[in-house]
Amino acid sequence: MSFPWANEYKPSNAFTRYLDERLPLPRFVYNAVGAGYPVPRNLNYFWNFGVLAGVALMVQIVTGIVLAMHYAAEGTIAFASVEHIMRDVNAGWFIRYAHANGASMFFIVVYTHIFRGLFYGSYKPPREMVWHLGLVIFLLMMATAFMGYVLPWGQMSFWGAKVITGLFGAIPLVGEPIQTWLLGGFAPDNAALNRFFSLHYLLPFVILGVIILHIWALHIPGSSNPTGVEVKSEQDTVPFHPYYTAKDGVGVAAFFLLFASLVFFAPNMLGHPDNYIPANPMSTPAHIVPEWYFWPFYAILRAFTVDFFFIPAKLLGVLAMFASILLLFFLPWLDTSAVRSGHYRPLFRKFFWFGLVPCVIILAWCGGAPAEEPYVIISQIASAYYFAHFLIILPIIARVETPKPLPNSITEAVLANHAGTKLQPAE
Amino acid sequence: MDRKAGWAKVESGIMESMASLTEDSATAGGDQGGVRRRDFINVAAASFAGVGAVSVALPLINQMNPSADVLAEASTEVDVSAIAPGQAIKTIFRKQPLFVRHLTPAEIAAAEKVPTSELRDPQSLEDRTKAGHKQWLVTMGVCTHLGCVPLGAAAGEVKGEFGGYFCPCHGSHYDTAGRIRKGPAPTNLMVPEYAFTSPTVIKVG
Ligand code: HEM
Ligand code: FES
């Protein structure tokens, strides 16, 4: 579906006319990300991050497939094969650093994309399905990145695999059989490494499939915008191409600038030095930490240190960690305010900037720190706030807050920002 | 009944059901209620396909379980004669660390002093060792929290607040009977199945 004023695809030559009657792929692209998709005229740079996530996925797929041409998923030689990529394969160091830092870039982009959605209320009707599919992508990404990090078979790879599959061991009764089943043994070994490689190759393509559904669901109501006011007339929109292809181009350039700075000047900054030590099942590194993008969740996992109501602390931690993500699926029903955008919600905005955002940053900081005081107590407080924010604070704000008056239309909001401009019909 | 008559009966049965099928389709659309032969065929076909799908899924799921060669490494023999009281060794059982510790009389006394009712996972030293071999503490070197290798077996490693083992990952302290005393781990260090095959040799698994 699209707005009635969307430009119509007109094949321009004999070949595209021929194609249009048999496989209208150019028409499909034109309507999806071309001049045939009308988009609100007021999108800010936060709306770049969806396209950037797509770019990041493509980078991972291309560099990943190249790495797989040189990598060997076998316990005794996996580590050596990664060193072989780093030292012997032509430009191997570049491809591996691009893949490892590409994963970080992917998460930077996706976290920004998610927080964009949280601030501008993008999860609210009629876009709940878009939000839910996005969360599915996020879960798949986490699984993919986790299994990717196991592949170089260094100390962090090994112990990360052990700790994360150990989480399943916390489930009563069936936990241990599940853990053994996941690993294909009693501890991570060849069987686990091999299956992780197989799934690490597969999941990015599953992600690609879910992205198609995500965009399909998005294109039914169309993109939201910083005011949160729905599109009312043609004046409120511009065609995706050339307006947002150009704006996204700026974002893509900035993305590659940051990405290249990491790859060429600080390729190991976000990694952990212990992963350059080959996996050793007999000795645990002093501090096991996952990759930075898992830190907030790792902090929640470790925040539970005492049993509650007969539930062991370990199980509570695991439940809380999964709940912290699954909770987001219920967001459309927890935040019942009819106003989408945080710009028009004075109270919501305060809790967003001074509550949720610092809370997640603090959790991330604790998750990367050793499991000692004061980090434990800080992560306990921050975890409590995280859950309270979504389960208690948001529903209350939605009830008590008086939103600021909304503009009548996107166009009115845009013109109001340009003092002196009068509201008049587009020529 | 001879075979020919039998077949004739089957045939007429089929004809009948065909007739009722066409009847059904003639009246289809009307809400008739009741069970039709076609419902039976639908349910039977779907169940058959379902049974097929499940029986294919089972081997596909089961292939993930430990393979025969992994299971074949199931038992290990350890000669404990060289371990002096107060010392411990770290060896491998099923690709995981195994701690064998020779307790000193003081460590035994410390473990026995604690009333089991005070423990998170109540077990006495007796429950965790073999009769007549109370000084030999054999446990997996796998923290029951999330599976790190606790410190305290090798010389010079920290042993934690209770003089047994200490897991550095999230700070679990185990006592001289390998029991959880402080920290996030839910249970005591696991004691694998083992037996003394001679006074100085144990067979684990
Ligand atoms: C969602 C997209 C992807 C993400 C987030 C991702 C993430 C990762 C991460 C974090 C690593 C560890 C990097 C390191 O520290 O060495 C890794 C390694 C690896 N990945 Fe991916 N990956 C993705 C897609 C792919 C694809 C499509 C392939 C194609 C087969 C692939 C193949 C590999 C290989 C062979 C390695 C091991 C070599 C190495 O460690 O550098 N990846 N991946
Ligand atoms: S794994 Fe030992 S305390 Fe967490």
Side-chain angles (χ1 to χ4, degrees), chain A residues 56-72 78 81-82 85-86 92 95-97 99-104 106-107 140-153 157 197-198 200-205 207 268 271-272 275-276 291 293-294:
Chain A
L57 179 67
M58 286 307 137
V59 169
Q60 289 311 94
I61 289 181
V62 171
T63 52
I65 287 174
V66 175
L67 283 174
M69 294 177 187
H70 305 279
Y71 169 79
S81 80
V82 172
I85 292 173
M86 295 299 288
I95 296 156
R96 173 164 180 254
Y97 279 154
H99 194 74
N101 288 285
S104 285
F106 200 174
F107 277 94
L140 287 168
M141 264 178 75
M142 298 211 285
T144 308
F146 159 66
M147 289 190 279
Y149 194 59
V150 175
L151 302 183
W153 213 233
S157 300
F197 182 45
S198 170
H200 184 70
Y201 209 135
L202 167 70
L203 288 188
F205 297 93
I207 293 177
N268 289 310
H272 198 293
N275 222 25
Y276 285 103
E291 291 281 82
Y293 34 80
F294 293 130

Side-chain angles (χ1 to χ4, degrees), chain A residues 21 49 93 157 195 210 227 256 298 334 407 409:
Chain A
E21 280 163 17
F49 286 81
W93 62 271
S157 300
R195 69 190 52 179
V210 185
T227 66
F256 279 113
Y298 199 53
L334 291 169
S409 72

